[in-house]
Amino acid sequence: ESSVTGKLSISKKCAVERLVAVCAVEPATTGSPRKRRRPGLGWNPMERFWRTHLAVTQVCAQTWCELQVAYGFEIPHVLTGQQESPEMKAGADIHLSRGKRQRLSRELEVQRVVSVPALTREDRQAVSFLNLLSMIPALQAGLRVRELPVFGLLEGVFLMGVIDELCYSERGELVLSELKTRRLHTLPAPAQVKGHSLQVRLYKLLFDSLVRGDLQREHVMSHLHLRPERALGPGVLEHAGKLSLQVSTFGELLDLLILNLTYCELPAVDRLSLEYCHQGTGAPISSQDVPFAEGQLREELRDYLAYWTGHREPRGVDIEEVWKCSSCCYQQHCEWKPGESTATGTTSAYKVTTP
Ligand code: SF4
């Protein structure tokens, strides 16, 4: 059901559907294919690594070791070519799939997951918009939603993420939760919690700015390099139709999303929570509230983004955290010298010795 303004409503009986874009072959375009420019001198990491946006999890990975994130882009073959025994690989696969299965079964408790063929980059982004559009009325109706997409421009960089869960507490607070599965029945070390805490705080910042109506058409177009006039594929149109949205192009869907966000009157997130549970049994280990201070968070974010925008070199671990290097796959290539910085801010020679 939708009004002429494009506002959506949902019946409590109607389960929310989360759409998952699956790649379909893009039809051949007329004209010559677009060529990528070769990275030039003075290009910042966003440009060098062809990033139109950053995932929230990429920024959070910087809390562990920023240089490790940089090496992941600069010498990706190191990670992919790591010598892993079949037993190690099988173990990692089991843990990964258990974590994924746990998240999926949690999601299926509250919503259905439906695959949608996506023909173009605009289709893939449109699927994310449709998910947000279908979850707005669910939240307005007081329902719990999972895997809610958030995105927006923060401190000059376009960030994207997916909130694990949003629901209302008994006291009527809007609570944002992030589930983290653990192999052992123990809490993570503070160095890991730092990244988890940044993740939920950034999700709140993005969600709050979306429901405040801060998302602008030109931010999406210019940062994600998408074409507003591009026609949406049949799979996307079918699901837009189910939400009673009368759209044919990507730009029209974006306009409708902005309109809905402007008038949705959803509250800002009141509480942030990290939930740790055991990967094997699913038993809860602990739940921790995360404090939020916007000024401090923005300051932290500006510092992390300064690397991506080329305002400083990437940093390795602090001297107290040099223990992280022993399990790092880049240790043979790493030249970071903890505790020392040069006048130019570049890393100086540091060879982590390998056994
Ligand atoms: Fe970071 Fe240490 Fe790995 Fe270097 S060896 S990338 S400093 S964790």
Side-chain angles (χ1 to χ4, degrees), residues 65 67-68 71 316-317 324-325 328 331 334 336 352:
C65 175
L67 204 49
Q68 199 178 59
Y71 282 142
V317 296
K324 290 178 181 174
C325 303
C328 176
Q331 55 181 311
C334 185
W336 176 251
V352 179

Side-chain angles (χ1 to χ4, degrees), residues 245-264:
L245 299 172
Q246 290 169 6
V247 290
S248 58
T249 64
F250 178 73
E252 286 170 6
L253 182 63
L254 174 58
D255 290 342
L256 215 47
L257 174 69
I258 292 172
L259 190 69
N260 269 272
L261 289 167
T262 308
Y263 295 105
C264 68

Side-chain angles (χ1 to χ4, degrees), residues 7-164:
K7 278 190 113 176
L8 303 169
S9 63
I10 192 167
S11 126
K12 288 211 175 192
K13 281 186 286 179
C14 162
V16 177
E17 275 186 353
R18 183 172 71 88
L19 311 177
V20 180
V22 288
C23 257
V25 181
E26 186 162 1
T29 50
T30 51
S32 55
R34 280 185 298 167
K35 279 188 185 162
R36 278 182 166 183
R37 284 187 302 147
R38 291 170 73 85
L41 274 179
W43 282 34
N44 66 39
M46 288 293 284
E47 294 162 332
R48 274 207 319 276
F49 308 135
W50 308 105
R51 300 278 97 194
T52 56
H53 68 277
L54 292 178
V56 166
T57 45
Q58 277 169 328
V59 179
C60 297
Q62 288 174 259
T63 64
W64 184 262
C65 175
E66 196 169 70
L67 204 49
Q68 199 178 59
V69 175
Y71 282 142
F73 283 98
E74 280 168 15
I75 42 174
H77 60 275
V78 173
L79 185 62
T80 47
Q82 262 196 121
Q83 292 275 318
E84 230 181 359
S85 69
E87 294 78 17
M88 278 166 70
K89 183 157 180 355
D93 285 350
I94 287 168
H95 286 299
L96 198 68
S97 61
R98 270 189 193 154
K100 275 188 180 169
R101 272 208 306 272
Q102 244 166 1
R103 280 183 85 98
L104 182 63
S105 66
R106 237 168 83 96
E107 182 181 1
L108 292 176
E109 289 166 10
V110 300
Q111 58 205 29
R112 291 194 300 134
V113 178
V114 180
S115 298
V116 180
L119 298 172
T120 61
R121 290 177 59 237
E122 285 77 5
D123 270 2
R124 293 183 73 82
Q125 192 55 48
V127 165
S128 166
F129 291 171
L130 289 178
N131 283 333
L132 186 51
L133 279 163
S134 68
M135 289 183 195
I136 290 171
L139 281 171
Q140 285 167 332
L143 301 179
R144 179 188 303 265
V145 297
R146 291 195 169 132
E147 305 289 322
L148 179 137
V150 278
F151 38 81
L153 190 65
L154 292 180
E155 305 301 329
V157 175
F158 203 89
L159 294 183
M160 286 189 178
V162 179
I163 294 176
D164 196 15

